[in-house]
Amino acid sequence: NPDQSVALGAAIEAARLASASAAGGGLFKRDVVKRLADVDVQDRTPHALGMIAINSQSELRNTVIIPKGTNVPCEMSREDYQTTRSNQESIDVHLVQGGEHDGDPAACIPLASYTFSGIPRRPAGKSRVRVTYRYNENTVVDISAVDVESQRELLQEANPLVDLDDLVGGQGYGVSPVSPRA
C-alpha cells in the first residue's frame, strides 16, 4: 500500500532525526535507536516516466524509460528509438507520467514536450536515438537525446505542453521503438 509505505517511511525518518538530535537523552530506548540506525530510507519514483512513440502499426504508445518504484536519484536511457521518415533531422519527445509498462498512452499524464534536432539525414529507420531521463532528488526530470551512430548529443528546445489527444493523427513525435518491448 503506497500510502502506508510513505507514512511508515516518514515516521522512521522522523524518529531517526529525533533520536539523533536528542544527543543521548533522547525520546527512544537504546534498542529502538539501534534498530532505526540500520534502516535505510530511500525515495522512489511514485509513477513510471516515459515518452510517447509510434509503433509499427502507426499507433501512439507509451514507452517507459524510468519504471515506477525506481530509487531516486536515477538516470536511465533507452536507445531503441528510430526515425520514422527519411531525412528526418529532429524528433519530438513528450515526457509522460504513468503507465506501468510500454503500452496505451491513455493512462499517461503529459508533463513536458521537447524537440531534439541535429539528427544526421538518413533513410527512415536508419537513425537510432538514445533518450536519457535524469530524475534528481528534488523530483526534477532532465532529458537529453543522442544520435546513437555518431554519439552526437542532439540540441534541445522546450515546446508548449501538448495534450495526448492532440498527438493522435499528428506526425511530430517522429520516433518508434526498434523492437516491441513487453
Side-chain angles (χ1 to χ4, degrees), residues 19 24-37:
S19 63
L27 302 170
F28 301 98
K29 294 179 184 176
R30 285 188 189 151
D31 64 323
V32 173
V33 171
K34 184 177 181 193
R35 283 188 298 182
L36 289 175

Side-chain angles (χ1 to χ4, degrees), residues 161-178:
L161 188 60
V162 176
D163 188 88
L164 292 181
D165 292 336
D166 294 338
L167 292 177
V168 177
Q171 297 194 8
Y173 33 86
V175 290
S176 65
V178 173

Side-chain angles (χ1 to χ4, degrees), residues 91-158:
I91 62 166
D92 289 344
V93 173
H94 303 285
L95 166 64
V96 294
Q97 164 186 294
E100 298 282 327
H101 308 285
D102 286 4
D104 186 7
C108 300
I109 299 169
L111 300 177
S113 181
Y114 302 92
T115 296
F116 287 91
S117 59
I119 300 171
R121 293 171 160 259
R122 298 184 187 111
K126 296 297 180 182
S127 290
R128 290 183 51 165
V129 177
R130 176 176 48 251
V131 177
T132 301
Y133 284 10
R134 290 172 197 83
Y135 193 124
N136 72 22
E137 59 278 349
N138 297 321
T139 68
V140 173
V141 179
D142 178 53
I143 302 173
S144 62
V146 170
D147 175 67
V148 173
E149 187 175 318
S150 68
Q151 291 299 306
R152 188 176 339 151
E153 188 158 346
L154 303 179
L155 301 173
Q156 180 189 69
E157 178 184 330

